[in-house]
Every structure is written in C-alpha cells, then in structure tokens.
Amino acid sequence: MVSTAYSYYPGCSLTSSATEYDISFRKVVEALGIQLDELEDWNCCGASPAPHHKAETLGVLLPGRNLHIAGASHDAIVAPCAGCYNRLKYAQYKLAGDQDIREQTSEVFQAEVRYQTEVLNIVQMLNREITPEALRERSQGRLANIRIGAYYGCLLTRPADILGFDSPRDPRKMRPLMEATGAEVPHFPFKTECCGSYMGLARKDILLKASHRIIEVAVSTGLDALVTACPLCHQNLDLRQEQINKAMGTSLRMPVLYFSQLIGLAMGISPEELELDALVVQPDMDRWLKGVA
Amino acid sequence: MRIGVFVCQCGTNIAATVSTERVASAAMALRDVVHAESIQYTCSDPGQRTVIAAAHKYALDRVVIAACSPRMHETTFQRTMAQAGINPFMMEMVNIREHCSWIHSDMEVATEKAIDLVSMGVAKVRGQTPLFSSHVPVVSEVLIIGGGVAGIQAALDIADAGMPVTLVERGPTIGGNMARLDKTFPTLDCSSCILTPRMVEVKHHENIRLMVNSEVEQVRGYIGNFEVDIRKKATCVDEEKCTGCQICEQKCPSEAPDEFNAGVGETKAISIAFPQAVPLVASLRKEYCRLYIKGKCGICKKVCPADAVDYEQEDELHTEKFGAIVVATGYELFDWRQAYPHYGGGLYPDVITSIQYERMLSASGPTGGHIQRPSDGAEPKEIVFLSCVGSRDESIGRPLCCKVGCMYIAKQAILTREHIPDSRTYVFYMDVRAGGKGYDEFYRRAQKEAGAVYLRGRVGKIYPRGGKLVVMGADTLVGENVEVEADLVVLATGIDAAAGAGSLAQRLNIPYDQYGFLSESHPKLRPVETTTGGIFLAGACQGPKDIPETVAQASAAAAKVIVLLSHDELETSPMIAEVNHMRCIGCFKCREVCPYHAIEEQGLRDGRRVAVVIESLCQGCGLCTVACPPSVISLRGYTDNQLIEEVTAVLR
Amino acid sequence: MSGGDIKLVGFLCNWCSYAGADMAGTSRMAQPAEMRIVRLPCTGRVNPLLVLKAFQEGADGVLVSGCHPGDCHYNEGNYYAHRRLELLSRMMAVYGIEPERFRYTWISASEGARWAETVTGFTETIRPLGRLNLAGGGARDDDHHQGPAAGSASPAEKR
Ligand SMILES: Cc1cc2nc3c(=O)[nH]c(=O)nc-3n(C[C@H](O)[C@H](O)[C@H](O)COP(=O)(O)OP(=O)(O)OC[C@H]3O[C@@H](n4cnc5c(N)ncnc54)[C@H](O)[C@@H]3O)c2cc1C
Ligand code: SF4
Ligand code: SF4
C-alpha cells in the first residue's frame, strides 16, 4: 500500500450517460486538493445482469478484478456510482466470507486475490474529506434560496448488512453536507423509494409510475431540486421526466442534481464547470444564486 | 457407623439388566456396610416396611437406596427414614435405573456399573451428618406493586382472605391501562363500568392500605420476611384533606401534558387524572408549575376550599415488613417513532397510537367521545389501522407479539363504525391472531358488521398529500400494491414492560428478559412464581396479556400468596452453606458471588469480621464454596470431602 | 472397573443435566457404560480442584454439564462455572493432561438425546487416548488427603 490518494473507479455510466457526474466529481475533488488515480485498465462492475448470470461467480469476478487491481496500489477505492459501489462491496463481502469463491477467483486471476481495499461511495468519501463546518465556511450560505431533498434510492444503502453505510429506512448521511450548503433540507418521505431501476426496458410502465411518484412528492414537499448519487436513478428521474409527464398527464418539473454538483455549487465552482447544463430539467440558476456575490 | 444398602429390582426394570443380588453381595464388602439386600419394589408399601424393619434389626444409622432417580423418589425415602427413626438426610439414593439398567443391555457391564455406583453412594453417605430443617416465622402482610387491574384483583382476593395488603402505585391513581380503555373486546362492555367499582372497593376495603404516588426503593430479607422501603412522593396536596372538587385544576394557569390521555389534549400542573380516579385527590407536578418555574403563583393554595394544598410537603419514606410480594407493574406502549421513520417518525400529527385512539373513543375522554383528527379537529372518514408496529418485526429486533393488537383493532373498527356511521376503516395486518373464547367471532364481526376492509400486508410508507395521508402497502393475498388515502392512521404499537421494570426486578432480585418483562419460575408449571421465594407475578408485567388472562393470573398469584401465608412458620432446607468462622479470613469473596445476597458480614468478639450465611436466604447452590480462597465454606450434603470420597470410591 | 478400561466422571447439576440424563434413561437411549455420574446442586459447585482431584485419582476423562446459559436454577451459577471451567480447560495441558479429556457442556432437562450423544461422543474421544498417564507417575498416590487438591479443601471439612 503506497499511495494516500484514492483509487478512482468511474465505471461505465460515468464515462457515457453520466459524464457530468464524472466531471463534477473530479472538479470538487480537485478543489479539495485531493489526488484521484483512475484505476488502470478497469472493467465493468457487472452492473445488474452479472449477478444473475448462471455462473454464480461472475458477479464476484468482474468487480473483484477491479478490487484486485486497486489493492496493488491503494488503500481505498472510491466509486461515485451507487451501482458500482454496491457491486464492489458485494464482491468484497463474498471474497471475505466465502472461501470457495475466494479460491476460484484466485485461480482465475492466477494470483492470490486482493480484496481488502476499502470501498467508498461518494458520500462517504466527501464526508471524510470535508466537514460540514468547513463546507459551511466555504459556501457562506450560497444556496440559502432553495429547498432540496436527498434521494438515496436503493443501491446506496441496501442490503445494509453488506454495505454497512447507512440505515436503509432512514438514511441521513447526505444531510450534514447538504445543510452546510445553506439550503433548507426538509423531510422528504420518498428518499428511499425505488425509482424503477432498470425496469425501463422490460416494464417501462412500472418505472414511469414509480419515478412519477417520487417527483410528485418532491414537488408537493416544495423542493427546488432532488440530489442523488446514482446515475440510474438520475436517468430515470431527470432524463425520463418528460416521458413521465406525458405518460401520467402531468407537467411536473423537478431538477435532479448529482451530489457532486450540489457540493461543487456550494464551494463556489461555476454551474458551467459542474456541467449543470447537461441536466434535462434545468434548475433556475438565477433564482438559486440570487444575491450571491 | 452402620450402613444398610437396599438394591431395588423395580420389578424387571432394573433386575432384567442388573443382577441386584450380586450388587447387594458386593455392597456387603464395602466398609461400614452391615446389611445389604435386594428388594422387588422398594418404593411400595411392603418395600418401605422391609427397609424400616432392617433399619431396626441392624441398628442402621445410614442408608443407601439403589433404585431410580433421586428426582423421582428422594422425598419418598426421606420420609421412610423418618419413620425408621433415621435422620432423612442420612440417606443417599443411587440411580441404577435411568443411569444404568435402562441404558445398557449387557448384564455383566450393567451389574459392574451398578456396583460402582453403589460404592460411590456408600462413600458419600459415610461423610454425611444429620441435618435439621429450621423454621422461620412469617409476616402475614402482603405487598402488591402496581395498581392496574392485575394489582387490584390480587389485592382484593388476598384482602378478602383476611390478610392485610399494601397496594403501592406509582401514579396518582389506580386503574392502570384498563382505566384508559373505552370498551373491551370481545364483549364490548365498557371498561370503566367494570373497573371503577373494583377500584372503589380497593379504596374502602378494611384490609387494604392504598399508597399512590409511591415507589418501592429497596427490598431486603427473604420469603416470609421482606423488609421494604417505600417512598411516597410529595405532591403538594394533603390526601386526607382534598375533597376532589377540582377547583384548583380549573384555576391553575400552568398547562401540562396529559399523561392519562396519552397526550391527547392538555391538563394543568395541578390536576386529577380522570373523574373516577381512586383516590380522588389532586396532585401537583412541580416541573410544570409556575410557582416552581417562575417563583410566583400559589393560586391553587388560595382557591382550595379544603386548605389541602401544601407546597412544603416532603417525600415520606416508609419501611414496612411483608411476608410476600406480588409484582403487577403492567406494560406500556413501545415508542415507535425512532424505529419507523417511514411512517413519519412522529412528524405527522394524524398518525396516532391505539391508546390515543382509545382515549378519543371514550365518552369521558378529552374529546368527549368524538373522533377527531389532531391536526385540524375534523371528523375523519377514512381510517387506517396498522397492526404489528413494533411487534413481530425482526428488522427492528422486536420479534415478540403484542398479543392484544389484533383484537383491539377489531374492537376499534367496530366502535369507529358506531361513532361515525359513514366512515370506512382499513386494517393492514400480518395474521389475525384471535385465539380465545369468542375472539374469532368478534373479529369476523368487525369485517361483516362494521365493514372493516382487511388487507394482508405490511405498510411500507406513510406520507402526506393534500391534507390526507397516503398509506402505501401491499395486499399480499392479491399480490398487488395498495394505496389508501386516509384521514387518520392508528398504529397498534408493540408492548413493552413498564418503564423501570428491569431496575425494580434487580431490586427484587428476580430475572427479566430483554424487554423488561419479568420471568416466571417455570413457563408451564410455575407461571406466577418467580425464582425468588415469596415473590409472585400478576398481569402484563410478565408478558403481553389481555384483561381476562391478567385477571386469571392475578387470582392465581393471590392463591399462591394465601397458601404461603396460611402457615405461621416456613420450613427451610438444611442443605445450605456454612462458614467455618475459625478459619474465615474475612475476604468476602463469597458475598460477591452469592446470587441471593445470603452472606452477611459479622463481627466476632475477638474483633475479626467474618462471613455468615443467612439460613433463610441461602438456596444451597454452592457457588460460594468454590469462591472461598481458604475453602472454609462447605455446602451441607455436598461437602468437599463427601464429593472427593464419592468420586474416588471407584477410581482407585 | 476392570484393568485396562477407561474411567469417566461426570459432574452434573441436579436441575438440568442430571434430569436430562434421567430423560435419556426414561427414553431408553443406549449409552456407553464408562460414565459415573456425580450429582451436584449446580455446576457453580464444581471446584476446579475437584476435577483435578478426579484426574489425579484415576479418572481418564471428566465431563461437567449444567443448565444452558440463562437457564440456571440459581440464575447465575453456570456463568461462574463457565468462567472457572474455561480457565481450567485451558490449563489442562499445563498439568500434562490432554485437553480433550476435560469437557464442559450445557444440557437441559429436555435434552435426553443430547445427553446420550454427548456421553457417546465423549467416551469415543477418550477410548483411543486410553488410560491417563500422569507425568511423574507418583502423582496418583493412594492417600488422596495428601494431594494438592485435597490439601486445600479437606482440612476445612475436618471440623
Ligand atoms: C390500545 C389497547 C386496547 C386494549 N383493549 C383491550 C380490550 O378491549 N380487552 C382486553 O381484554 N384487553 C385490552 N387491552 C389490554 C389491557 O390493557 C391489559 O390486559 C391490562 O391493562 C393489563 O393490566 P395490568 O394490571 O397487568 O397492567 P397495567 O394496566 O399496565 O397496570 C400496571 C400498573 O402498575 C403501575 N406501575 C408500573 N410500574 C410501577 C412501579 N415500579 N411501582 C409502582 N407501580 C407501578 C402502573 O402505573 C399501572 O397503574 C388493550 C391494550 C391496549 C394497548
Ligand atoms: S387540592 Fe383542594 S382544590 Fe384541588 S381538588 Fe383537592 S380539595 Fe379541590
Ligand atoms: S450456597 Fe449459594 S445461596 Fe447459599 S450462601 Fe452460598 S452462594 Fe449463597
């Protein structure tokens, strides 16, 4: 273990449909003066299909390889995508607890598998690198004009005994930093409700209904934006918002930001740098930042 | 020393695999054995007579009976000894049936083993000395802790039997949770109609002394002779003078939360819990009183026509003696808010608990029997009941069933229809547990007559939408998600033991479980006894219960108390620990390990401090004997020497 | 007991394990015959010195069995027993006794089958080990009152 920097695992989404997540995350990390080393030759974490493949080990082998590579050089690996984070933790859990799988994996890798690198999601990592007090200091109440709600979804907290991150029923780990931005963070009852996940392909109707309700409750709670740490949730809630409105005959509008974008805004990084214009549902930045020097 | 050995054939039970004749003749070879014989059925009348005759004939002073388990017949043969004029404790039983003939098939092997076991018994009985039970006088007064329906029932039963009872209740009135209920399942008779006459009976019973606002602080002593410190807390009102006119309450300017009404509505700093309270006496809560907070008021003292208000009143400490104690401290509702953030965690005023709903239903309750939404006072039309909130939920570490939830939901659904005929009620349930006489019929009535819609599934979320609450759940029978827009949501919250039950149990030295429920001595055969002699359990303090069960258990506890106190003296077992004072070094390690606090420090005339065993407290476990560094405590009947002799008899 | 045979001693509490052994008997569960049971009020009464004494005097295996944790008739006797016996079992090797020769278990009054299995298992563990040969040979002297265990225990009784 050599480096105090984080090994960075962007995963597929952050290099394709969610580049704004990747960019805003790198901007924030840079502003905090932390070194990120993108994992060399990383591969897909297996996402939702791998664990369901009939070769049981596939769901471990794919993320396991990333862990194995990171383990050679870093103590901690950060995966901003909630799905990737979930898969890495799952592989780690299996490799630690199941000798059979560990041996099979080592055989495939032709080396004793390294799986003990600490796996962090974006909330854990930022909570570690900046305290709410420090962020409050930097933000100077910059986002005081708005009300925001944390949307955790499923993958970030469940299954709780494997992830050990936050309560799956009442997660609160995003709250301290969100409040430090100056924004109001009212109780949002749908913070853990499923967005429909990957049902977009097979049963879009289910997905649209599920996501619709999240947006609906966000609107009736009086929020100006939702904040998420999951590209899939983001896609369902932001990219599909027009589809949702069409299917349900509504005209709801709810911007959905990535956690890194929110923290970046609070730190004074410009909306452009944080790629806010990549969002489908655009926040009214003039109103948000009204009166801010 | 003259030892007789009797080897039982137990018909063929023993004789089929053990040659009892050979065992008897082998026994004759053992040191100090003067007689040995084999008997067909030793426990039978002729068998016992044979033993007695032999005892006389051979002038026996010790006896070994090789037969069945001592757990079966030790008392029988102890009685035989007494008849034979031998101290009952000079008899040792050897188990050659359960531990030998029944588990082996080879005659040779079994006989050899039986001979070994007999020589162990002989070796042990050689070290035995005569023991004598002692007698302790019994105090005939009874303490009952907790004045719910359980405590009331036990108090009346015992008092009717002519024994004086002190009933200690920590609240300002007796009645407990039952006093808060509107009507009761499965008959819908009104709770106060059946309870309040019993409360008044307690008040007027010549054998009952009622102490409200009081708590048990310390308990010393043992069965038949408990000494208890009771603190009667100052309430600033003289119980003797107060007439219960409630003028003070009307004039008092300080608002205070209404505990009796479970937070529905408010009351005053000086108040009477409810109109039928017993005793009907006001009490003042200093933490809400303007006089104590701001230093200025004193209105109640001015307006009281009976001059009963006394701000100088102080706590009273009473020390009393009791022969037996009944614990009836009941239950309270589990605080659901932390565990169920997805139900709003207490954020939504129209999500209430079942006991709050019960108070709304009650004609004498804070809303005068009108069901109202706490948020706006409107009459709700769509009412949703959730069962098992904090019960049978492994995910929050509460697997226990509250036992009464299913039934009182059915009751509340029926009563809701009576109060608001055009209302609709929905019940989310896991299973409907309606075992009990008339219970299932009652629950079906809720469905058929009151039109309650039962949906089998847990609720995942409750959230507000446009003045209503959306209840999202599943109907697992249909396999679909359901959503109900409710005006009011009632949670059947889980049941915990009363606050402080665990620490009370520690003071009483009785075991309790993780929820604070007090443990009975045996779940089937000793359901109202505790492992500490003289302390009994009644009602929901032992585990969730409905009223019929509570009352039955209370009467059972009363019966046990009456049996106990019908004797003037108690016999204590002599198989207890004993300290050799000459060699005690006064380290009191024994006192640290004794589970019964049976070891006391005593000063000798030569100034040394030594340990003594309180005979009536010692239960004879022998923990202390091992803890004692110089090994100067011995357990009668199981002394170190006896055990060493017993073990080594077959080894060397 | 005949010459080469092993000798086993069981210290059982009256309330749970002794009753469990009774239950095994009542259910006619066949068991090996080497076990000799000593009945005690509680495993908390088992002095570790008594166990050592048994070994010194010729026992080839000693089994202590009481109520399950939390079920002790005297509430906490078996917790004390647990601590004492655990320590003792770790000390076995120091005394030159194979650790397998000493075992303690919790068996309830209803676990007759478990008692039968335990005795069988324990006996089968000791049989291949054979007789215990305590180093120094002379340790097993005939006058047990001279032994270290009795040395601290017995004078107390000689009142
Ligand atoms: C909403 C609801 C509805 C119900 N409806 C029904 C029904 O319709 N029919 C039915 O059969 N059952 C019903 N029950 C159950 C019923 O309430 C209980 O069976 C009954 O109240 C138990 O009586 P108890 O005396 O054991 O306990 P409690 O009623 O709890 O009384 C215990 C008493 O002990 C006092 N106490 C506690 N600790 C101490 C202490 N340390 N020192 C001194 N005093 C102390 C308390 O202040 C209280 O007065 C219902 C329960 C609930 C929650
Ligand atoms: S204290 Fe006085 S005023 Fe208050 S209820 Fe009693 S008698 Fe009436
Ligand atoms: S034998 Fe048990 S109950 Fe008696 S004094 Fe010793 S430790 Fe206490």
Side-chain angles (χ1 to χ4, degrees):
Chain A
M1 304 299 142
V2 281
S3 174
T4 53
Y6 290 88
S7 171
Y8 174 40
Y9 177 69
C12 312
S13 296
L14 273 73
T15 57
S16 55
S17 58
T19 49
E20 69 269 37
Y21 196 6
D22 173 60
I23 292 167
S24 58
F25 176 61
R26 288 180 194 264
K27 281 275 169 355
V28 167
V29 168
E30 187 188 296
L32 288 172
I34 304 161
Q35 192 189 330
L36 275 190
D37 303 330
E38 184 167 335
L39 189 65
E40 236 172 84
D41 189 32
W42 57 264
N43 58 271
C44 170
C45 71
S48 337
H52 299 121
H53 191 272
K54 65 175 189 277
E56 262 179 72
T57 42
L58 194 62
V60 174
L61 283 173
L62 288 171
R65 180 172 173 275
N66 295 319
L67 279 180
H68 185 67
I69 301 172
S73 51
H74 289 76
D75 288 332
I77 180 167
V78 55
C81 166
C84 299
Y85 161 71
N86 194 296
R87 294 328 306 164
L88 288 171
K89 284 294 274 191
Y90 171 80
Q92 188 167 53
Y93 170 82
K94 279 289 186 193
L95 287 168
D98 189 328
Q99 194 179 339
D100 266 6
I101 292 198
R102 191 162 60 238
E103 279 165 10
Q104 283 176 45
T105 309
S106 296
E107 205 176 300
V108 174
F109 294 173
Q110 297 189 335
E112 185 69 25
V113 56
R114 292 179 295 260
Y115 58 87
Q116 271 141 336
T117 309
E118 190 181 16
V119 179
L120 297 174
N121 61 44
I122 181 173
V123 184
Q124 280 172 315
M125 176 195 161
L126 291 183
N127 271 333
R128 197 172 284 190
E129 295 297 340
I130 182 165
T131 62
E133 296 71 46
L135 183 62
R136 194 165 283 126
E137 184 77 7
R138 274 174 108 131
S139 105
Q140 294 296 322
R142 188 180 295 267
L143 296 179
N145 294 338
I146 58 168
R147 287 158 63 93
I148 51 179
Y151 175 69
Y152 292 82
C154 316
L155 292 172
L156 204 55
T157 61
R158 287 167 197 262
D161 49 345
I162 295 182
L163 303 187
F165 166 53
D166 204 345
S167 155
R169 281 181 171 169
D170 190 22
R172 290 157 184 258
K173 294 270 163 73
M174 285 197 209
R175 180 176 276 269
L177 286 181
M178 283 173 66
E179 284 176 337
T181 65
E184 193 189 331
V185 189
H187 171 70
F188 176 51
F190 269 50
K191 61 182 165 183
T192 59
E193 216 56 28
C194 176
C195 66
S197 180
Y198 52 85
M199 293 303 267
L201 302 172
R203 288 287 304 273
K204 197 151 116 189
D205 56 321
I206 292 180
L207 180 145
L208 294 180
K209 229 165 110 183
S211 281
H212 172 255
R213 213 163 35 191
I214 294 167
I215 306 279
E216 191 187 30
V217 174
V219 170
S220 68
T221 309
L223 299 181
D224 294 298
L226 283 178
V227 177
T228 181
C230 173
L232 186 59
C233 298
H234 192 268
Q235 175 176 321
N236 289 342
L237 295 172
D238 178 59
L239 184 68
R240 291 190 193 271
Q241 216 172 94
E242 227 178 276
Q243 285 178 22
I244 291 171
N245 277 325
K246 219 160 135 192
M248 310 308 269
T250 49
S251 52
L252 302 170
R253 265 189 59 84
M254 180 56 53
V256 184
L257 268 64
Y258 283 108
F259 190 64
S260 49
Q261 291 177 313
L262 177 80
I263 304 300
L265 281 177
M267 291 171 69
I269 304 172
S270 75
E272 296 73 35
E273 280 182 284
L274 294 166
E275 300 252 325
L276 252 69
D277 43 6
L279 301 181
V280 173
V281 182
Q282 279 294 309
D284 181 354
M285 285 319 298
D286 292 343
R287 184 171 68 79
W288 284 28
L289 296 178
K290 198 168 146 199
V292 173
Chain B
M1 221 178 272
R2 301 182 63 81
I3 305 175
V5 176
F6 301 90
V7 188
C8 188
Q9 298 162 13
C10 197
T12 54
N13 277 308
I14 293 171
T17 20
V18 171
S19 162
T20 51
E21 294 296 336
R22 254 182 71 198
V23 175
S25 62
M28 275 308 282
L30 296 168
R31 194 166 153 198
D32 294 329
V33 174
V34 296
H35 171 73
E37 68 178 297
S38 157
I39 299 177
Q40 195 183 15
Y41 285 108
T42 319
C43 61
S44 70
D45 219 34
Q48 292 193 46
R49 268 185 272 124
T50 311
V51 174
I52 294 171
H56 290 313
K57 184 166 169 201
Y58 299 98
L60 303 178
D61 58 11
R62 284 168 172 73
V63 166
V64 169
I65 293 180
C68 56
S69 172
R71 292 176 55 86
M72 179 95 184
H73 270 317
E74 194 165 51
T75 8
T76 314
F77 293 122
Q78 282 181 340
R79 265 189 238 119
T80 317
M81 289 305 109
Q83 285 169 30
I86 300 174
N87 182 284
F89 296 92
M90 302 295 270
M91 185 274 306
E92 186 68 23
M93 275 194 83
V94 170
N95 187 344
I96 58 167
R97 193 178 72 175
E98 285 84 344
H99 292 188
C100 190
S101 72
W102 275 352
I103 56 171
H104 307 308
S105 43
D106 185 315
M107 186 98 174
E108 183 59 31
V109 168
T111 305
E112 282 297 316
K113 177 167 169 181
I115 292 172
D116 268 7
L117 294 176
V118 167
S119 39
M120 289 166 79
V122 169
K124 186 177 176 202
V125 85
R126 292 182 68 247
Q128 185 63 48
T129 49
L131 300 178
F132 301 93
S133 304
S134 53
H135 295 266
V136 288
V138 171
V139 179
S140 72
E141 204 164 325
V142 182
L143 170 67
I144 296 182
I145 310 173
V149 62
I152 291 172
Q153 180 75 21
L156 288 171
D157 283 353
I158 295 168
D160 284 345
M163 289 158 190
V165 172
T166 298
L167 178 54
V168 170
E169 164 60 53
R170 74 171 164 202
T173 170
I174 56 170
N177 278 300
M178 187 175 166
R180 301 155 106 182
L181 307 181
D182 176 34
K183 301 204 166 112
T184 55
F185 64 76
T187 44
L188 289 189
D189 36 3
C190 133
S191 184
S192 43
C193 309
I194 52 180
L195 182 65
T196 41
R198 302 289 281 164
M199 292 162 62
V200 174
E201 238 182 290
V202 166
K203 168 88 184 145
H204 296 300
H205 204 296
E206 54 177 11
N207 285 339
I208 300 180
R209 179 167 65 142
L210 179 56
M211 295 179 73
V212 291
N213 295 307
S214 301
E215 280 198 68
V216 166
E217 289 214 324
Q218 278 215 21
V219 181
R220 294 171 296 272
Y222 44 88
I223 178 168
N225 291 276
F226 293 105
E227 195 178 72
V228 182
D229 296 341
I230 304 166
R231 178 179 296 273
K232 187 164 172 55
K233 285 163 282 178
T235 58
C236 301
V237 177
D238 185 332
E239 243 182 73
E240 299 300 316
K241 290 186 185 165
C242 174
T243 60
C245 67
Q246 273 176 294
I247 292 178
C248 54
E249 185 173 333
Q250 284 151 21
K251 302 288 182 204
C252 171
S254 309
E255 305 256 285
D258 191 341
E259 279 160 20
F260 181 78
N261 287 318
V264 182
E266 289 217 308
T267 180
K268 300 289 184 59
I270 188 166
S271 64
I272 291 181
F274 63 108
Q276 293 85 22
V278 168
L280 194 63
V281 169
S283 51
L284 184 149
R285 285 183 286 169
K286 292 182 181 170
E287 61 275 34
Y288 304 107
C289 168
R290 185 183 286 185
L291 182 67
Y292 289 91
I293 296 168
K294 297 223 176 98
K296 243 172 64 193
C297 183
I299 291 179
C300 50
K301 190 173 172 62
K302 281 189 213 111
V303 300
C304 175
D307 192 26
V309 178
D310 171 13
Y311 302 126
E312 252 76 79
Q313 198 182 65
E314 282 180 6
D315 286 7
E316 294 166 24
L317 205 62
H318 300 257
T319 300
E320 313 271 339
K321 291 206 149 208
F322 301 101
I325 300 175
V326 177
V327 191
T329 48
Y331 71 94
E332 58 191 44
L333 293 184
F334 162 69
D335 186 351
W336 63 278
R337 291 172 299 185
Q338 280 276 319
Y340 292 89
H342 42 304
Y343 296 171
L347 274 175
Y348 314 137
D350 297 334
V351 177
I352 65 172
T353 67
S354 49
I355 199 84
Q356 291 174 320
Y357 196 61
E358 202 78 42
R359 292 312 297 148
M360 276 188 198
L361 290 169
S362 169
S364 58
T367 59
H370 297 292
I371 304 174
Q372 293 174 354
R373 284 162 44 107
S375 61
D376 56 5
E379 187 177 81
K381 297 291 179 205
E382 313 275 328
I383 299 163
V384 175
F385 294 93
L386 268 55
S387 73
C388 305
V389 178
S391 307
R392 307 176 65 202
D393 190 347
E394 297 267 9
S395 75
I396 58 162
R398 293 183 57 90
L400 76 166
C401 169
C402 82
K403 188 119 198 236
V404 287
C406 292
M407 288 309 294
Y408 71 60
I409 287 178
K411 169 186 78 174
Q412 293 181 341
I414 294 172
L415 295 175
T416 303
R417 178 54 71 88
E418 281 177 12
H419 280 69
I420 312 171
D422 61 340
S423 62
R424 281 184 69 79
T425 52
Y426 302 86
V427 179
F428 281 95
Y429 70 102
M430 302 228 295
D431 305 287
V432 174
R433 298 190 158 176
K437 192 159 126 188
Y439 283 20
D440 206 66
E441 298 90 317
F442 184 76
Y443 138 66
R444 303 220 174 258
R445 227 175 109 188
Q447 284 183 310
K448 290 204 186 98
E449 287 173 28
V453 178
Y454 273 71
L455 298 158
R456 186 185 178 281
R458 268 198 189 275
V459 165
K461 188 170 294 299
I462 300 172
Y463 70 97
R465 183 164 73 198
K468 292 209 162 207
L469 291 164
V470 183
V471 180
M472 291 168 60
D475 183 338
T476 54
L477 296 181
V478 184
E480 264 177 19
N481 292 340
V482 270
E483 259 187 45
V484 182
E485 277 208 353
D487 298 310
L488 186 67
V489 179
V490 181
L491 308 179
T493 44
I495 280 181
D496 273 333
S503 73
L504 178 66
Q506 280 170 7
R507 273 170 274 153
L508 291 165
N509 196 31
I510 56 177
Y512 58 99
D513 70 15
Q514 72 213 86
Y515 311 104
F517 291 118
L518 311 176
S519 308
E520 67 281 11
S521 174
H522 189 282
K524 291 169 196 74
L525 301 179
R526 292 161 66 83
V528 297
E529 292 95 327
T530 65
T531 46
T532 300
I535 302 185
F536 303 90
L537 305 177
C541 65
Q542 180 260 351
K545 266 181 203 64
D546 61 15
I547 297 164
E549 258 190 289
T550 297
V551 171
Q553 201 193 20
S555 287
K560 291 282 172 191
V561 168
I562 294 166
V563 170
L564 174 67
L565 300 189
S566 60
H567 304 96
D568 300 336
E569 288 191 324
L570 288 178
E571 199 179 274
T572 60
S573 163
M575 307 263 266
I576 56 170
E578 191 173 20
V579 179
N580 178 350
H581 292 157
M582 298 306 294
R583 304 189 53 243
C584 172
I585 57 171
C587 67
F588 301 108
K589 290 252 187 311
C590 50
R591 193 171 52 187
E592 283 166 35
V593 301
C594 176
Y596 301 95
H597 311 291
I599 292 180
E600 232 176 18
E601 194 176 323
Q602 208 179 61
L604 292 187
R605 243 176 287 157
D606 64 5
R608 284 188 309 128
R609 318 275 321 157
V610 296
V612 290
V613 176
I614 309 168
E615 297 202 355
S616 45
L617 280 187
C618 176
Q619 305 285 315
C621 66
L623 276 182
C624 53
T625 61
V626 185
C628 176
S631 284
V632 299
I633 310 185
S634 61
L635 184 66
R636 293 188 201 141
Y638 296 96
T639 64
D640 285 348
N641 262 8
Q642 276 182 293
L643 295 177
I644 290 170
E645 291 296 345
E646 184 179 359
V647 170
T648 53
V650 290
L651 295 179
R652 276 172 293 132
Chain C
M1 277 177 206
S2 49
D5 286 351
I6 54 164
K7 305 175 181 187
L8 308 180
V9 175
F11 293 108
L12 272 60
C13 85
N14 177 49
W15 307 99
C16 295
S17 294
Y18 193 93
D22 278 359
M23 169 94 176
T26 317
S27 319
R28 311 293 199 276
M29 289 167 175
Q31 298 159 40
E34 287 90 334
M35 178 62 71
R36 302 287 176 267
I37 294 174
V38 175
R39 183 167 72 125
L40 294 169
C42 179
T43 45
R45 172 68 188 92
V46 179
N47 195 327
L49 293 174
L50 187 62
V51 175
L52 292 176
K53 183 76 189 163
F55 279 119
Q56 190 193 25
E57 295 292 337
D60 302 303
V62 176
L63 177 68
V64 179
S65 187
C67 308
H68 285 276
D71 286 351
C72 175
H73 182 80
Y74 304 99
N75 300 339
E76 49 207 54
N78 56 0
Y79 292 127
Y80 285 101
H82 177 83
R83 265 176 271 166
R84 290 168 185 159
L85 299 174
E86 179 54 36
L87 210 64
L88 178 65
S89 66
R90 290 189 209 166
M91 297 286 286
M92 277 299 147
V94 179
Y95 297 117
I97 301 170
E98 292 97 326
E100 306 90 284
R101 292 188 187 270
F102 174 67
R103 191 189 290 177
Y104 62 93
T105 58
W106 317 124
I107 292 173
S108 78
S110 58
E111 292 175 323
R114 184 153 162 179
W115 169 254
E117 281 160 25
T118 304
V119 177
T120 309
F122 189 60
T123 311
E124 279 165 5
T125 310
I126 310 297
R127 271 184 194 149
L129 297 177
R131 299 298 319 263
L132 170 64
N133 188 12
L134 276 181
R140 276 181 172 168
D141 62 41
D142 270 349
D143 184 358
H144 61 274
H145 289 287
Q146 303 294 305
S152 60
S154 59
E157 317 288 348
K158 290 183 177 162
R159 272 161 297 154

